[in-house]
Amino acid sequence: MNKIVRSEPAQLRHFDIIVADGFVLSELAAITDAIRISNRVSAMKIFSWSFHSVIGGMITSPSGLAVETSRIPDRPSADAVFVIGNVNPRYGEQSVARTVSRYRVAGARVYLLAEAATRYIAETGNSNAYTTHWENYQLIRETIDDDGIDLSLAREGRGVVTCAGMGATLDVVLSLIGELATAAVRSTVADVMLHQRVRDLSSLQPYSRAVITDTGDEIVNRSIQLMQTHIEDPLWIKDIVESLGISSRLLERRFAQTLNTSPHVYYRRIRLIAAKNLLLNSAMTIQEVAIACGFNSGFAAVFKKQFGLTPAAMRRGSRDKLFGETS
């Protein structure tokens, strides 16, 4: 039986949730489920929400599910607004800054998730105070040439909270629930959702250019960190071993034992994955993508060997699958 938390919040709090075509369903579900469960475990309605979009009407996610929305209000009255990410890191060229300004003037707390955060960073031209999903990191570097982003789960700067989205969305919402309701409500909602703990929002994303998933081998971890921070200007393996103060033979052996591959092959795979992300999520030319990922020649051939398609074919195919398969 779910625990009932007796809570007496000062007032009913309302959240606006803004979506665009191709919105990330898991992010929307994390927000609505957390606040819905908050009402249930509190035995009273402490939160309400409504869906909005730029044009209003039915807005569809890549999974085929849709929500009915009203237009973004000219004079918002919400306590907080969540702008959910979508399948386009440029957020469909849809301005986020205007929406942010509108809600900030109204005194609302603003939360930008993943691609919405990426779009806002591009519009403001400064990543020092913000974060976004790690997949969008290189796109930001190519757009504004700024390495200030730290890729934490969420970060507040200048009155706006930017968030990596996806699984980090629930951490953000639970933190907000703890502030607006009580810590007891927050922990009970986390328990109901089987969320083991609310992560500190300054925690680095599990995979990013700033931190890697632990391989269990410190030498491998440190070498991969060097690889991830040198995508455009790849290091020679001899430079990596010199930096780590080890021999090439030792590095080869550790990679073989830990990842069943060689440092060279692993490094090339990292750069190809970065290239694939740029191909699918940016307007850069194929040549620009190749250069940005350290391939001065032979890019198409190694890309096809890794992914089974040439860069041009993959980009063409992504246009048709932008909003997902329906069958």
Side-chain angles (χ1 to χ4, degrees), residues 17 24 80 110 116-117 128 145 165 188 209 274 298 316 321:
I17 302 173
V24 178
V110 178
N128 289 312
D145 191 27
T188 304
R209 300 300 182 205
R316 283 195 303 270
K321 296 181 179 179

Side-chain angles (χ1 to χ4, degrees), residues 100 104 120 124-130 155-161:
V100 169
R104 287 187 63 193
Y120 185 67
T124 58
N126 182 1
S127 67
N128 289 312
Y130 307 117
R155 196 173 180 194
E156 183 167 4
R158 301 168 189 173
V160 177
V161 177

Side-chain angles (χ1 to χ4, degrees), residues 160-173:
V160 177
V161 177
T162 47
C163 174
M166 302 302 286
T169 306
L170 184 55
D171 296 284
V172 168
V173 180

